[in-house]
Amino acid sequence: MGLISKWTEDGREAPEPLEGPVVGTVLTGTGLWFLLFLGQLPFYGWFADHGHTWWVWTCAAGGGLGLFGLWYVKRRAAAMRRDAASG
């Protein structure tokens, strides 16, 4: 039996994947990363003095990657709606 299968090892059918408010979840996470980035900017000098500037840039990267994720999940949701409408 392959790794990706509709059936589990003991013969029961695997449950369908859960679909939730994916766009809202990604949007919330992206917003939190950007808020953390903006909240740390006034203390950039302290972070630089202590060798922790990576904290600031990690938050910036999280926000940037979140924007990519938001683009991706919106396209995915649109494709799923088109697929459901076509039948």
Side-chain angles (χ1 to χ4, degrees):
M1 197 173 286
L3 290 175
I4 300 175
S5 176
K6 187 174 176 153
W7 301 94
T8 60
E9 292 295 321
D10 62 358
R12 292 181 294 150
E13 187 172 343
E16 291 295 318
L18 294 176
E19 288 294 333
V22 179
V23 174
T25 302
V26 173
L27 184 61
T28 301
T30 302
L32 287 173
W33 278 115
F34 276 125
L35 282 175
L36 288 169
F37 172 69
L38 293 174
Q40 290 178 351
L41 277 181
F43 306 102
Y44 189 83
W46 183 90
F47 286 114
D49 292 343
H50 292 86
H52 296 303
T53 56
W54 65 270
W55 289 8
V56 178
W57 300 117
T58 298
C59 293
L65 289 171
L67 290 176
F68 171 74
L70 188 60
W71 169 80
Y72 180 84
V73 297
K74 281 186 171 189
R75 284 184 49 115
R76 178 180 177 266
M80 290 170 66
R81 281 192 303 273
R82 280 193 311 270
D83 185 51
S86 68

